[in-house]
Amino acid sequence: MLPDRLDQRIAEAIKHQIDNERTESDTTSDAWRSRCEVAKVAMFSDAQRSVFIHHVSERRGSVAAHEIESQAKTLRTSAIFFLARKPS
């Protein structure tokens, strides 16, 4: 599968997961805003994620950048496993 198409499918899986979580979450909380930010970053391509993380590091510090990067990787990995189990 082409990388762009894979990124698109990963983004769709993440969007679906966030939409499901939205019904069970307090969407006014800081935790929800953080979750949505991580999901947005996880939907970016590798290059876009790198640029975003760099900007976060400059503006909010390396700890915040590392946390977003780590959570985005985890979310992408979950989406990839979901797609692997999903019948075509």
Side-chain angles (χ1 to χ4, degrees), residues 72-86:
K73 284 180 183 179
T74 299
L75 195 53
R76 282 183 68 84
T77 300
S78 295
I80 291 167
F81 279 109
F82 170 80
L83 291 171
R85 290 188 314 264
K86 185 178 175 182

Side-chain angles (χ1 to χ4, degrees), residues 4 10 24 40 60 80 83:
D4 289 343
I10 291 169
E24 301 171 5
K40 181 178 178 179
R60 294 190 247 169
I80 291 167
L83 291 171

Side-chain angles (χ1 to χ4, degrees), residues 51-62 64:
V51 169
F52 186 88
I53 295 300
H54 176 73
H55 287 297
V56 170
S57 181
E58 289 180 338
R59 290 185 176 92
R60 294 190 247 169
S62 62

Side-chain angles (χ1 to χ4, degrees), residues 1 43 46 51 64 68:
M1 181 176 296
M43 289 188 263
D46 290 344
V51 169
I68 291 170

Side-chain angles (χ1 to χ4, degrees), residues 12-72:
E12 289 167 2
I14 292 169
K15 182 183 180 321
H16 178 74
Q17 181 176 344
I18 293 299
D19 288 345
N20 287 340
E21 290 176 13
R22 180 175 283 115
T23 62
E24 301 171 5
S25 299
D26 174 6
T27 58
T28 62
S29 70
D30 288 338
W32 178 252
R33 281 190 287 282
S34 293
R35 179 71 171 160
C36 289
E37 179 182 43
V38 167
K40 181 178 178 179
V41 173
M43 289 188 263
F44 289 161
S45 69
D46 290 344
Q48 291 169 320
R49 273 194 319 281
S50 179
V51 169
F52 186 88
I53 295 300
H54 176 73
H55 287 297
V56 170
S57 181
E58 289 180 338
R59 290 185 176 92
R60 294 190 247 169
S62 62
V63 172
H66 176 73
E67 187 64 26
I68 291 170
E69 183 178 32
S70 175
Q71 290 180 23

